[in-house]
Amino acid sequence: MVTAAFIIFGLAAIVSAIMVISFRNPMASAIALIVTLCSIAGLFAIMGATFVAALQVIVYAGAIMVLFLFVIMLLNLKRDEFGPEKRKIQRTLGIILGLLLVLEVGIFIQAGLGDFGPSPAGDKGSFTSITELSSLLFTKYLFAFEVTSLLLLVAIVGAVILAKKKL
Amino acid sequence: MSIPIPSINIGAILPEIILIATAFVIIFVELFAPKRWRLGIPIICFAGLLAGFYAVGSLWGETIFAFGESVTSDNFALFFKFIFLLGALLVTLISVDYLKREGIYHAEYFFLILLSTVGMMIMASSLDLISIFLGLEVMSIALYVLAGFNRTDPRSNEASLKYFLIGAFASGFLLYGIALLYGNFHTTNLGEIFALLSGQESLSIIGLIGIVLVLIGFFFKVAFVPFHMWVPDVYQGAPTSVTAFMSAGPKAAGFAVLLRIVIYAFNTSSPEFTNLLWIVAVVTMSVGNIVAIAQNNLKRMLAYSSIAHAGYVLVAVVAGGPVGTSAAMFYLLVYTLMNVGAFSILIVFGKRGEDNLNFSDYAGLASKYPLGALAMTLFMLSLAGIPPTAGFVGKFYVFSAAVSQGYVTLAVIGVLNSLISVYYYIRVVVVMYMSAKPAEKFYFTYSVPAIIALIIAAWGTLQLGILPERWLSLAKDSIFSFLL
C-alpha cells in the first residue's frame, strides 16, 4: 500500500516536473508545478511527516504558487506566448468547479467545522509532531534557522535593488 | 515539553556578528540619516571590517564549538575568514570612487559586500551540510545582485541573470547530494558522517553519488573545468569592483568547504576522489591557461586566469595532508592580494562605461603613468609566478607539496601550465612598456582609497614573496589544529 502510494506520488511528481519545463504556456507550467508540489506533499505524508506535508500544500502549492500566477498575469505576456486559445472549455469548467467549491464550503459549514484539536497522543515523539519539529529548529538546527533569516534579508534587499525604479 | 538548549557560545561567531551589525548600521544610515552622511558609508564599512580583523585575531589559537556541534571557530576557519576580510577590505577601498564614476553609488552595495562576506565565513566555519548550504546561498544571492548592480548596463544584467541561473542549477546539484548523504548517513553533521565513515570500509552507492553531487555543486561555484562556462561572461559583465570581489573571496570559500569535506569527512586517502580531483585539476589548469592566451579583453583574460589559478590550488588539495592543505591556503591568500591588485589597476585606469579594457588601450601606459604600470607589472609577474613575488612562493609550495606526496606528473603538468601563462601575463607588460603605437588617451581616476588598496596589495605581494615564512607557518598552525 505504502509502496504503491510512493510510486504513484513519485511518478506524478516527476511527470509533472517534466511538464513544467516542456509547456510553452507559462500558465500551464505553473499549474503543472502545483501538481509537482502536491505530489511531494504526498511523499512527505507517506513518510509520516504529516505536518511538513500540510505546510508544503499550504505554503508552496498555496501561497507561493498564487504569487507565481499573479506575477505571470502581471507580466502581460503577448498572445502568441500563451499558445492557442481554448477559452470556451475553460470557462465552462471554471463555472462548474466554482459552483462545486461553493457547494462544498456550504456542506462543510452546515456539518460544523469538525475536529481541529491537537493531533492524537500517539503522534508525540515522532517527526510528525509540531513540538518535535520546533524543538529541532531551536536546538540542533538553531544556527541554520538563524542563517535562514539572514538569507531572507539578503534576498529582500537584493530584490529591491534590482527591481526598484529609482534608488 | 522542556527543550534542552545547546551551548550557544556566541563568541565563536563574533566576526560574523560584527559584520552583520555593520551591515545593519549601513542600511539604517542610508534610510534615516541626512543625505550628506551617505558619503561616510564606506568609512563605516571599513571600520566594521577592521573590527572583524580584530575579532579574528582575538579568536586565533582556540578551537571553540558553538550551537551544538554545527559551527566551529578553529584556526582553519579563522585563516579563511582573514582572507575573506582582506578581499572585502580591498574591494571596499577600490569601490568608493569607482561607484561614483559609474553613477551607482548606493549604500546597498556595501551592505551586500558585507553580507556576502558573512556567507563565506559561515561556509568556512560550518560543520553541518545544511548551514554550509545556507552560507553558500547568502554569499551567492548577494553576488547575483552585485553582478547586476549596474542596472542600466545590459552587460551587467546579462551577467547577473547568467550567474543566477547557473548558480541555482549548481545549488540543485548540491542540495540533491546533501539529501542523498542524509539518506545514507541519517545526519548532516560532518563530524558524525566522519565517525560513521571511519567505521566502514567503503561507501555505499548512494553515499558515493551524494558526495559526487556535492562536489559538482562546489565545482560550479569555484568554476573548475568543465563547470566554468559562466565565468568569462559574468566576470566581464559585472562591475569591475564586483569582479575583483568575486574572483577572490567566493573562490576561497568554496575551497574552504572543499578542504573541510575532503579532509574532515571523506579523507583523501580514498583513491576514487583523488583520481577525480587529479583529472579536474589537470583539465582546469590547461583549459584556463590555453583559452586565456586568445583573449583581447583584460577582464576576460583575468577571468580565464582565475580558472587556471583554481586549478593550481586544486593541485595542492590533491596532494592533501598538512603540506598540501597549508599550501592551498597560502596560495589563496596570495591570489587574493595579487588578483584584487590587478583589478584595482583596471579600476583606476578605467573610464566610465568600461569600454577601454582591451590590451591596446593600455599600450604605452608606462611613459605616462610609470608608477601605475610598475604596479601592474608587479601583479602580472606575481600571477605568472616569477620571483621575488608572492605568486612564485605560492606556486613553489603548491608544486613541492604535490611532489612530496608523489604526484610528480601532476606537478610537471602544473609547471608547464605556469609556463604557458607567462605568455599572456607578460604580454600586458610588453604592451605597457614597449608598444610602438601608444593608445591615444588614458583615463586616470584619482582615488585615494583605491591607491591605498593598491599599496596594500603591492606591499602584500612583495612581503609574501620575500618573507613568506610567517604567513606560511600561520597556515600550517591552522591545519594542525584542525587535523587533531
Side-chain angles (χ1 to χ4, degrees), chain A:
Chain A
M1 167 64 195
V2 172
T3 325
F6 173 76
I7 291 169
I8 291 168
F9 280 123
L11 270 181
I14 293 169
V15 170
S16 56
I18 292 170
M19 279 153 78
V20 172
I21 51 172
S22 58
F23 279 142
R24 286 190 64 83
N25 185 336
M27 224 40 164
S29 291
I31 304 288
L33 188 55
I34 293 180
V35 178
T36 313
L37 294 170
C38 287
S39 327
I40 291 171
L43 290 176
F44 279 131
I46 294 171
M47 286 186 274
T50 45
F51 178 63
V52 182
L55 276 188
Q56 173 83 12
V57 171
I58 295 167
V59 177
Y60 284 93
I64 290 180
M65 281 316 297
V66 169
L67 263 181
F68 264 35
L69 291 176
F70 264 118
V71 171
I72 292 173
M73 287 171 168
L74 286 175
L75 278 177
N76 236 342
L77 295 161
K78 287 180 206 104
R79 277 274 162 257
D80 55 307
E81 288 178 62
F82 265 107
E85 281 226 84
K86 290 195 190 100
R87 270 267 184 84
K88 250 188 183 154
I89 307 164
Q90 284 174 351
R91 199 177 288 167
T92 20
L93 211 70
I95 291 168
I96 295 169
L97 287 175
L99 284 176
L100 259 176
L101 182 71
V102 172
L103 206 74
E104 252 180 321
V105 172
I107 291 168
F108 267 110
I109 290 175
Q110 209 156 34
L113 283 173
D115 185 21
F116 274 87
S119 56
D123 271 352
K124 273 211 179 128
S126 76
F127 194 67
T128 318
S129 87
I130 302 172
T131 328
E132 185 69 15
L133 194 68
S134 45
S135 89
L136 268 178
L137 272 185
F138 284 99
T139 54
K140 201 174 169 195
Y141 297 109
L142 179 60
F143 185 67
F145 183 64
E146 297 295 339
V147 176
T148 314
S149 61
L150 203 63
L151 182 62
L152 288 174
L153 179 73
V154 174
I156 292 168
V157 172
V160 169
I161 289 171
L162 289 183
K164 203 176 166 211
K165 274 228 171 72
K166 196 170 175 300
L167 279 175

Side-chain angles (χ1 to χ4, degrees), chain B residues 424-438:
Chain B
Y424 58 85
Y425 291 127
I426 298 297
R427 195 174 147 209
V428 180
V429 180
V430 169
V431 163
M432 285 191 304
Y433 279 92
M434 298 174 222
S435 184
K437 260 200 311 179

